[in-house]
Amino acid sequence: MTTIAQALAAARRRGVDRLDAQLLLAQLLGCERAWLLAHDDEPLTAGALAQFEARLARRAAGEPLAYLTGTREFHGLALAVDARVLVPRPDTETLVDWALERLAALALPAPRVLDLGTGSGAIALAVKQAHPAARVTATDASAGALEVAGSNARRLGLDIELCTGSWWQAVAGRRFDLVLSNPPYVRSDDPHLAGLSHEPRTALTPGPTGLEAFEAIAGGACEHLAPGAWLLLEHGWDQAAALRLLLARHGLTDPATRRDLSGHERCTGARASAQ
Ligand code: GLN
């Protein structure tokens, strides 16, 4: 007989993080983590143990915990995620919080908000949840990602519009009062990518400079921003200065940068001129 405590100790010996192992086992047994820890002398059935070991093997091989549990919390929302979408990161909440501040300052009755490259729908859904009056549009070039975003929207009861297409192609001829994006921005030769091999590569890297998606987004910004509207972008820790220049080169003004909770420059924005 293997008890819960023994199974968790074995998981640690395999190099799986303690909290990850507890969350995986709690999900398998259909219990809360607190119950698991309070009853760790209970034996596991052979079936549960075999399933736990299979998941530990995947986790030890680098698969994100969120793909194994099928869920990830983002800005207070429980999102379903799978290998068709990037796992939402806490850093991206910085972008959502900035967007919510802009929306409060705009004080429009039904602001048009756009999330370019939405993936799981994290940004679009968090904005809609916190600012229900917003009319939120989310795009993605990946049909699989839009399926994930759509099912998250239905399950959470949040009404957002989904459009297929690469960057602005998905919303040709339309303007928005606020545009957000967390596009791929990791350079294709960045060694960091090796540790992210289970997530969609197209969601992580746009090409050799890491700036290719920003160029596409900045290039179409003036055509799609309402007068005075802000474009807010998430980026890598060393890309803020390049982003401020790029946005200015494409006619946007008032560039500003925000830091994430770790103190890294994480989001840069600028706005269209007032007329
Ligand atoms: N922040 C992510 C990472 O480096 C990358 C996200 C992105 O490319 N948009 O793990």
Side-chain angles (χ1 to χ4, degrees):
M1 262 313 167
T2 303
T3 63
I4 288 173
Q6 287 165 339
L8 290 173
R12 291 208 73 185
R13 286 195 297 275
R14 292 182 70 154
V16 173
D17 174 81
R18 207 165 75 105
L19 179 59
D20 286 6
Q22 292 171 0
L23 291 169
L24 282 172
L25 189 53
Q27 197 201 28
L28 263 178
L29 300 180
C31 66
E32 296 290 328
R33 201 164 65 89
W35 186 93
L36 192 77
L37 300 179
H39 297 82
D40 69 354
D41 54 351
E42 300 239 346
L44 288 173
T45 64
L49 188 59
Q51 277 183 297
F52 184 50
E53 280 174 356
R55 292 197 192 177
L56 286 179
R58 288 168 63 188
R59 183 71 195 104
E63 210 170 315
L65 180 73
Y67 291 167
L68 296 173
T69 60
T71 173
R72 176 69 173 228
E73 202 253 32
F74 177 80
H75 214 273
L77 297 176
L79 296 171
V81 293
D82 62 35
R84 291 175 290 179
V85 296
L86 191 79
V87 177
R89 315 289 207 252
D91 294 340
T92 305
E93 295 186 357
T94 303
L95 186 71
V96 172
D97 290 338
W98 195 0
L100 295 175
E101 282 173 36
R102 297 287 4 132
L103 286 175
L106 266 178
L108 290 172
R112 295 161 295 177
V113 179
L114 175 64
D115 173 19
L116 288 170
T118 197
S120 62
I123 295 169
L125 294 170
V127 168
K128 181 68 184 176
Q129 158 87 7
H131 199 102
R135 284 175 288 164
V136 179
T137 302
T139 77
D140 212 288
S142 153
L146 283 181
E147 275 172 36
V148 176
S151 74
N152 275 321
R154 280 190 297 280
R155 206 186 57 265
L156 296 166
L158 295 168
D159 182 20
I160 62 170
E161 177 192 23
L162 298 170
C163 302
T164 314
S166 178
W167 310 128
W168 302 108
Q169 282 167 21
V171 289
R174 296 173 60 182
R175 285 187 191 270
F176 296 86
D177 301 303
L178 178 64
V179 177
L180 309 166
S181 185
N182 170 22
Y185 54 69
V186 181
R187 281 203 329 261
S188 54
D189 66 352
D190 189 325
H192 174 68
L193 278 178
L196 303 174
S197 62
H198 293 267
E199 294 181 88
R201 206 177 153 80
T202 50
L204 286 163
T205 179
T209 68
L211 297 172
E212 291 86 346
F214 293 130
E215 278 157 12
I217 293 171
C222 281
E223 266 173 65
H224 295 279
L225 291 171
W230 282 85
L231 168 65
L232 306 179
L233 300 167
E234 178 178 322
H235 54 74
W237 62 274
D238 58 352
Q239 291 173 323
L243 252 288
R244 288 191 293 264
L245 279 176
L246 182 65
L247 295 174
R249 194 146 50 72
H250 286 280
L252 301 185
T253 62
D254 300 332
T257 293
R258 291 241 172 147
R259 290 176 190 271
D260 62 25
L261 290 174
S262 332
H264 295 124
E265 290 189 317
R266 180 59 62 195
C267 301
T268 289
R271 59 174 166 169
S273 57
Q275 66 263 323

